[in-house]
Amino acid sequence: MVIRSKEERTRVNAEASAWLARLHGPRGGEAEGPLQDWLKGDPAHQEAFERATELWELLPGAAELDEEPRIPTTSRRFLPLALAASVAVLAGAGAMTLYLDQAPTFDTGTGEQRTATLDDGSRIALNTDSHLTVKFDRDERQVSLDRGEAMFDVAHDAGRPFVVRAGEERIKALGTSFVVRRDGDRVRVTLLTGKVEVTRLGERPRLLAVLAPGERLSASPQAVPVLDRPVLDAVTAWRRGELLFRNTPLSEAVAEVNRYGKERVVVNDARLAGLPISGVFATDDPAEFAAAVAQLHDLRVQREGDTVLLTP
């Protein structure tokens, strides 16, 4: 990977913004051919254009360009250029968390998922209600997962380790695919391919484990780390919009379902908590999950606003 100077990145970002303005301008069709030539000229062009497009879509007024115009033609002519200028200004001032000259911050809301490609070619997929920040320098590629869950497909770069910080845990990888989930102080690391090492930080950092493909490490500050081999299809099912349970206690299955939807499934009777649940369920349909569980275990379903109550 070529490390570019700030001046080079600024120039490429400015060019990307200009191309974006031309593409959304009144003669955007004429810009498509030359734009493709520019994108093919350097991998950095493609990366800068993708980041500019992401930011463009977040700017007020950008969506109006694809709708039936309701503003005078003279104003529409200059709107793309004004928005492109906003891209550059916001990026330089740090006024938004997603910007061009630096690596971004990513968030997802409840039930939302998103994917992104980082400057080095690594890909991140965020699950529901997650937040992470990225900081790359010449010596290390660092990601901090503040909450939630993310899958990482890491581009190989032996000279710059890829490190994920999650609570007290530091996960170091090279050319690896893995999933990190953080719920408060509890962190789970599941290795899909490659190799990662997990270290507990503190005054005296200590190595907790070097994972092999298929292994998962569960760690929290007050507990002994646990190493197991989960069903990988279940760990990654959220990437397909699914939840996969195999003899999972009802209380745990309900907790998973409630991560994704505005409707919440509630089980108030402790006698039901351990009922085994198996099956594949959609992440965005808690009512369907409750109905299936009720049918399986002869339970009743009650609806109270956004709450779905399961009772004997």
Side-chain angles (χ1 to χ4, degrees), residues 55-228:
L55 182 53
W56 177 283
E57 292 172 353
L58 296 178
L59 290 172
E64 297 177 10
L65 298 177
D66 298 322
E67 299 175 353
E68 185 65 25
R70 295 184 181 180
I71 55 178
T73 301
T74 53
S75 298
R76 293 200 309 271
R77 184 178 303 129
F78 294 104
L79 182 56
L81 293 177
L83 287 175
S86 298
V87 169
V89 171
L90 289 174
M96 297 185 68
T97 56
L98 182 61
Y99 45 92
L100 299 179
D101 278 341
Q102 300 181 39
T105 295
F106 295 98
D107 292 275
T108 55
T110 300
E112 180 186 5
Q113 296 178 359
R114 91 180 272 195
T115 60
T117 301
L118 303 183
D119 287 348
D120 67 334
S122 298
R123 291 185 60 82
I124 297 178
L126 264 71
N127 199 3
T128 177
D129 190 23
S130 300
H131 176 87
L132 62 78
T133 57
V134 181
K135 182 180 179 181
F136 283 6
D137 58 32
R138 292 180 179 273
D139 299 318
E140 186 175 84
R141 299 169 288 169
Q142 185 178 111
V143 175
S144 295
L145 180 63
D146 299 312
R147 70 172 187 273
E149 184 173 22
M151 179 186 292
F152 301 89
D153 289 311
V154 179
H156 182 74
D157 185 348
R160 289 198 306 164
F162 191 99
V163 173
V164 178
R165 289 280 303 272
E168 296 298 313
E169 273 45 77
R170 180 181 188 269
I171 303 104
K172 180 180 177 182
L174 283 173
T176 301
S177 179
F178 60 102
V179 178
V180 181
R181 177 169 171 176
R182 180 180 180 184
D183 298 305
D185 290 334
R186 186 185 183 192
V187 175
R188 279 169 279 183
V189 182
T190 306
L191 182 61
L192 304 179
T193 62
K195 183 178 179 181
V196 299
E197 61 178 37
V198 184
T199 302
R200 170 70 52 79
L201 300 176
E203 292 185 4
R204 296 182 179 180
R206 62 187 180 94
L207 180 66
L208 297 183
V210 177
L211 299 184
E215 291 185 331
R216 174 177 61 188
L217 179 72
S218 300
S220 58
Q222 307 303 322
V224 176
V226 176
L227 193 65
D228 66 352

Side-chain angles (χ1 to χ4, degrees), residues 7-29:
E7 291 74 16
E8 289 178 299
R9 294 198 305 271
T10 299
R11 175 183 58 78
V12 172
N13 290 334
E15 291 176 0
S17 297
W19 279 112
L20 196 59
R22 290 181 60 186
L23 191 64
H24 287 279
R27 302 175 65 179

